[in-house]
Amino acid sequence: METITDIKGVYASGIASGIKKQGKDLAYIFVPDAIACAGVFTRNAFRGACLEHTRSCLEHGTVKAVIINSGNSNVATGEAGRANVVRTATKAARLLGVTAEQVAIASTGIIGVQLPIERLEAGLETLLDNPRKQEGTIAAEAIMTTDLTSKQTVRSATIAGQEIHIAGMAKGSGMVAPNMGTMLAYFAINAAIPQKLLQTMLAEACDCSFNMVSVDTDTSTSDMALLFATPEKEIDLSVSENYRAAQKLITEACIDLAKMIARDGEGAEKLLEVCVENAASLSDARRIALNIVGSPLVKTAVHGGDPNWGRVIMAVGKDPGVEVDPGQVDLFFGSQQVFKNGEPFGDAPRERVAKELKAEHVFIRVDLHLGSHTARAWGCDLSKRYVEINVDYN
Amino acid sequence: METITDIKGVYASGIASGIKKQGKDLAYIFVPDAIACAGVFTRNAFRGACLEHTRSCLEHGTVKAVIINSGNSNVATGEAGRANVVRTATKAARLLGVTAEQVAIASTGIIGVQLPIERLEAGLETLLDNPRKQEGTIAAEAIMTTDLTSKQTVRSATIAGQEIHIAGMAKGSGMVAPNMGTMLAYFAINAAIPQKLLQTMLAEACDCSFNMVSVDTDTSTSDMALLFATPEKEIDLSVSENYRAAQKLITEACIDLAKMIARDGEGAEKLLEVCVENAASLSDARRIALNIVGSPLVKTAVHGGDPNWGRVIMAVGKDPGVEVDPGQVDLFFGSQQVFKNGEPFGDAPRERVAKELKAEHVFIRVDLHLGSHTARAWGCDLSKRYVEINVDYN
């Protein structure tokens, strides 16, 4: 299994419709027999009109399909923007043989510019000419914006004697921060999980994955994760062992894509993984982990391989709202301890830290010795290329 | 008047003591007849040992002097670091003829490296050979780290018929964010303001100035602002008109230096000023203003002159904890409105926005139409030079 359309009953593809100057920019995922679809959305006040539509669809029945365009986010576009969402959903519904309330809509790209709706509508005619294509990889390419690589994952587990598979795709490279930490992610799981439970499980998985990744601390107006459940396998989730196994599967798939997003952060050359252990609360653990991966000074030090671990200490303490006892903090770069009980540790750890920072995957661990809560966050280094990419996005 | 030593009874100078590889790195300010000294400090949990000493001094009597070194922050240095603060204060006190509890200590520079205390002590002998020098400008140079320019201000006002002057200096260029938004700032005012009142006034001034500036959202472990009051002029601050005039004078001096710090942000080419109007609360106004000046995507757009105003819209909405009604928001770049009542405004504002972004001082104004609270924040653009400066700080 490689892609979302390897899940039985899941169809997807993508085309170039001319919304972007070049490249694929329009995709669909269609799950005609979906028995449930769960969604998690950005908390930015300027949510795109498509998110309001999609949220409403999820509340009123089972979503069967999603239409995704890249190149234009249809955000901050007012009444005309809302009308364009309705036109898109109506047209796609007719071509798919479902209702407009069964078609989720997602848009990603520049903010504040009206969608070229005629081109999008013409594109839908071509895209949905055959809506049962098994081209998940092409769909994963069509949802990219500044991403350098398409992002897909497949995870499998045997739960109650049955082979359960989850497959997903995501895009996200800049304007990536909680809540939530990606722009778009779509999954399908071949287990008949009912709507309410599916929603709880996706939300939990997002909290440990997309909500724990930061490229630039900026929260997109277009973030969306959807998870379709197909009727293929019945599993009894009232058995807690089954529930935990299914939750683990969904969470792992989300973490896979979250890490790919961090690694493909705009201009990034390294994946930065931060683990904060033994915090007084889960919220403290998460905030500190995110403060470290989000700190421009930590990110530039990681980029340059500069063993300036004091910047991590700064980031651990920078939020006055979290509980930290400086005299109890331990700090590690990889396996190298550099700080112990409020004092620098060892003789010349800077050289060994510099070596840890040369790796493509940099791992920083903080032990607060205050409680029992742990969180993990993912980010990337900050390079001149990030600035280049973003000084002239148009 | 140009510098802090133009205030009667205020002495200062600086020298190169060898803490930095090159350049001046050790300064003093001495106000032997100070009748009060107020201080505001970083809220980072990893405060330098010198901050604990200085805070304790302020609580136990009137501080008469401050010794400032650049090149090493003496933070995260444990017991040895604390002992070095005591040695510095004791030595300086002897040379100045005061007690160690009357000598504030400040250190700024790399974190996690022990101070070269012998060099610092030898430097104090030279620096304080004559502790009544009127070389404020040299002191302002000696407290710089990555700053490209020294930062000084003088403000004057006639209050109750008397000429009141405040003069100050600051350093700060990176690791600049609330609380508080600078690393070091020192002021003297020639008005006999009692300790408690002086503390209240300085805290209020910092909230509108140093706490509203962000270069990189990273909060230093060494931030400190001190304000000395000299006995020269008596003003009756129980008269509310006098109080307001004195508060305004102190706030304006702090804002002067805050703007200089933002303009001299590491790698910055532009000053970014953001005004958020008519928020539901002062806290909302401040958070939104800081989210805009702190956004890497806004900062890169300002750097590149990219009229991508949607990024400001994103930043206005990104914090789920603040009240924003997207349908009521107005957005202006300089005098050019680009967004009105939740819709893009006008035909082709992108060209006009691009023109506004060409200026050295970029002004963004957001009207939330929700309440009556206004806040102003200052920041700078994000350039490749920022990354260059920070990938290899050592």
Side-chain angles (χ1 to χ4, degrees):
Chain A
M1 290 198 119
E2 287 175 7
T3 184
I4 199 162
T5 45
D6 293 338
I7 303 277
K8 192 179 157 192
V10 177
Y11 308 101
S13 190
I15 59 160
S17 73
I19 299 171
K20 279 189 199 166
K21 281 171 202 148
Q22 55 184 3
K24 292 191 275 285
D25 54 19
L26 192 61
Y28 76 93
I29 301 170
F30 185 32
V31 191
D33 301 322
I35 65 137
C37 179
V40 173
F41 303 94
T42 182
R43 293 179 67 197
N44 193 304
F46 287 91
R47 282 179 287 276
C50 62
L51 297 192
E52 299 307 323
H53 165 85
T54 300
R55 188 195 301 263
S56 162
C57 292
L58 291 177
E59 279 167 13
H60 292 99
T62 299
V63 167
K64 303 286 187 182
V66 57
I67 303 294
I68 310 139
N69 78 271
S70 56
N72 185 311
S73 72
N74 191 18
V75 165
T77 46
E79 200 47 61
R82 284 186 286 275
N84 285 336
V85 173
V86 174
R87 280 177 69 168
T88 307
T90 306
K91 175 120 201 166
R94 187 173 59 71
L95 294 164
L96 292 167
V98 297
T99 68
E101 289 69 39
Q102 291 176 319
V103 181
I105 305 289
S107 295
T108 173
I110 195 163
I111 297 171
V113 176
Q114 296 296 347
L115 270 175
I117 187 69
E118 283 79 15
R119 253 175 283 167
L120 196 158
E121 284 185 322
L124 284 175
E125 296 272 0
T126 312
L127 179 73
L128 300 176
D129 185 38
N130 168 9
R132 306 242 170 173
K133 287 195 175 145
Q134 292 185 293
E135 299 174 339
T137 296
I138 294 178
E141 288 163 7
I143 66 175
M144 292 162 60
T145 52
T146 54
D147 305 60
L148 297 180
T149 60
S150 65
K151 298 167 183 70
Q152 298 190 82
T153 188
V154 175
R155 287 265 178 174
S156 302
T158 305
I159 302 177
Q162 307 207 69
E163 272 300 297
I164 306 298
H165 308 289
I166 183 169
M169 65 178 74
K171 63 97 20 187
S173 183
M175 206 183 279
V176 166
N179 288 281
M180 47 189 289
T182 182
M183 293 181 83
L184 303 174
Y186 302 99
F187 299 90
I189 188 165
N190 68 336
I193 306 175
Q195 179 74 25
K196 267 202 165 171
L197 214 50
L198 195 69
Q199 181 66 37
T200 304
M201 296 174 97
L202 178 62
E204 167 67 22
C206 286
D207 272 347
C208 305
S209 57
F210 301 120
N211 281 345
M212 292 305 290
V213 66
S214 180
V215 169
D216 50 16
T217 71
D218 275 340
T219 302
S220 164
T221 49
S222 307
D223 295 338
M224 175 191 298
L226 295 182
L227 168 56
F228 293 94
T230 76
E232 192 187 2
K233 300 285 172 73
E234 290 281 348
I235 46 175
D236 182 358
L237 292 173
S238 67
V239 176
S240 72
E241 193 189 328
N242 297 350
Y243 185 89
R244 278 200 306 273
Q247 178 70 66
K248 183 163 174 275
L249 190 65
I250 296 170
T251 301
E252 283 174 349
C254 288
I255 288 177
D256 285 346
L257 293 181
K259 286 166 81 165
M260 289 182 210
I261 287 169
R263 179 61 188 82
D264 193 26
E266 287 169 346
E269 295 177 5
K270 294 174 183 185
L271 174 65
L272 172 60
E273 181 164 0
V274 171
C275 184
V276 173
E277 296 176 349
N278 300 314
S281 71
L282 182 58
S283 151
D284 278 7
R286 287 183 171 164
R287 280 162 76 175
I288 294 170
L290 285 169
N291 279 341
I292 298 170
V293 298
S295 158
L297 290 170
V298 171
K299 289 158 67 77
T300 47
V302 168
H303 181 67
D306 180 358
N308 194 347
W309 55 262
R311 291 178 176 179
V312 178
I313 289 294
M314 173 280 299
V316 170
K318 78 188 238 191
D319 183 344
V322 301
E323 197 181 333
V324 172
D325 176 353
Q328 291 201 64
V329 172
D330 288 343
L331 173 63
F332 301 81
F333 278 70
S335 59
Q336 176 60 51
Q337 184 158 14
V338 295
F339 196 71
K340 185 174 182 169
N341 299 336
E343 314 255 351
F345 179 79
D347 279 343
R350 282 184 193 261
E351 289 69 19
R352 278 170 253 159
V353 171
K355 205 177 148 200
E356 293 287 344
L357 289 175
K358 286 216 175 74
E360 274 227 352
H361 181 163
V362 172
F363 186 67
I364 294 174
R365 184 160 67 86
V366 178
D367 192 331
L368 297 174
H369 294 289
L370 286 178
S372 60
H373 298 275
T374 292
R376 211 167 271 264
W378 297 273
C380 58
D381 53 335
L382 173 59
S383 71
K384 289 197 251 183
R385 184 78 191 114
Y386 176 86
V387 178
E388 277 171 9
I389 291 168
N390 283 300
V391 292
D392 188 16
Y393 180 72
N394 283 307
Chain B
M1 290 198 120
E2 286 174 7
T3 185
I4 200 162
T5 45
D6 293 338
I7 303 275
K8 193 180 157 190
V10 177
Y11 309 100
S13 189
I15 59 161
S17 74
I19 300 171
K20 280 190 199 165
K21 281 172 202 146
Q22 55 183 2
K24 291 190 276 286
D25 53 20
L26 192 60
Y28 76 92
I29 301 171
F30 185 32
V31 190
D33 300 322
I35 65 140
C37 179
V40 173
F41 303 94
T42 183
R43 293 178 66 197
N44 194 304
F46 286 92
R47 281 179 288 277
C50 62
L51 297 191
E52 300 306 324
H53 165 84
T54 299
R55 190 195 301 265
S56 161
C57 292
L58 290 178
E59 280 167 12
H60 292 99
T62 299
V63 168
K64 305 285 189 182
V66 57
I67 302 295
I68 311 139
N69 78 272
S70 56
N72 185 311
S73 72
N74 190 18
V75 165
T77 45
E79 200 49 58
R82 283 186 287 275
N84 285 336
V85 173
V86 174
R87 280 177 68 169
T88 306
T90 306
K91 175 120 197 164
R94 188 173 58 71
L95 294 164
L96 291 168
V98 298
T99 68
E101 289 70 39
Q102 291 176 318
V103 181
I105 304 289
S107 296
T108 173
I110 194 163
I111 297 172
V113 176
Q114 296 295 348
L115 270 174
I117 188 68
E118 284 80 15
R119 252 175 281 167
L120 197 158
E121 285 185 321
L124 284 176
E125 297 271 1
T126 312
L127 179 72
L128 300 176
D129 184 39
N130 168 11
R132 306 242 170 172
K133 287 196 174 143
Q134 293 185 292
E135 299 175 338
T137 297
I138 294 178
E141 288 164 8
I143 67 175
M144 291 162 62
T145 52
T146 55
D147 306 60
L148 297 180
T149 59
S150 66
K151 298 167 183 70
Q152 299 191 80
T153 189
V154 175
R155 288 264 178 174
S156 302
T158 305
I159 302 177
Q162 305 206 71
E163 273 300 297
I164 305 298
H165 308 290
I166 183 170
M169 67 178 71
K171 64 95 21 187
S173 182
M175 206 183 280
V176 166
N179 297 276
M180 46 187 290
T182 182
M183 295 180 82
L184 303 174
Y186 302 99
F187 299 90
I189 188 166
N190 68 334
I193 306 175
Q195 179 74 26
K196 269 203 161 172
L197 213 52
L198 195 69
Q199 182 65 38
T200 304
M201 295 174 98
L202 178 62
E204 166 67 23
C206 286
D207 273 347
C208 305
S209 57
F210 301 120
N211 281 345
M212 292 305 291
V213 68
S214 180
V215 169
D216 49 17
T217 73
D218 276 341
T219 301
S220 163
T221 49
S222 307
D223 295 338
M224 175 191 298
L226 294 183
L227 168 57
F228 293 95
T230 75
E232 192 188 2
K233 300 284 171 77
E234 289 282 348
I235 47 174
D236 182 357
L237 292 173
S238 67
V239 177
S240 72
E241 193 189 329
N242 297 350
Y243 184 89
R244 279 202 305 274
Q247 179 69 66
K248 183 164 175 273
L249 190 66
I250 297 169
T251 302
E252 282 174 349
C254 288
I255 289 177
D256 285 346
L257 293 180
K259 287 166 81 167
M260 289 182 210
I261 287 168
R263 178 61 189 83
D264 193 25
E266 286 169 348
E269 296 178 5
K270 294 173 184 185
L271 173 65
L272 171 59
E273 181 164 0
V274 171
C275 184
V276 173
E277 296 176 349
N278 300 315
S281 70
L282 182 59
S283 150
D284 278 6
R286 286 182 171 165
R287 280 161 76 175
I288 294 170
L290 285 168
N291 279 341
I292 298 170
V293 298
S295 158
L297 290 170
V298 170
K299 289 157 67 76
T300 46
V302 168
H303 182 66
D306 181 357
N308 195 347
W309 54 261
R311 291 178 175 179
V312 178
I313 289 294
M314 173 281 298
V316 170
K318 80 189 236 190
D319 182 346
V322 299
E323 195 182 335
V324 172
D325 176 354
Q328 291 201 63
V329 172
D330 290 342
L331 174 63
F332 300 80
F333 278 69
S335 58
Q336 176 60 50
Q337 184 158 16
V338 295
F339 196 70
K340 185 174 180 168
N341 299 335
E343 314 255 351
F345 178 80
D347 279 344
R350 279 182 196 263
E351 289 70 18
R352 277 171 256 160
V353 171
K355 205 177 148 200
E356 293 287 344
L357 289 175
K358 285 215 174 75
E360 275 228 349
H361 181 161
V362 172
F363 186 67
I364 294 174
R365 184 159 67 87
V366 177
D367 192 332
L368 297 174
H369 294 289
L370 286 178
S372 60
H373 298 275
T374 292
R376 209 168 273 262
W378 297 272
C380 59
D381 52 335
L382 173 59
S383 70
K384 289 197 252 184
R385 185 76 192 115
Y386 176 86
V387 178
E388 277 171 8
I389 291 168
N390 283 301
V391 292
D392 188 15
Y393 179 72
N394 283 309

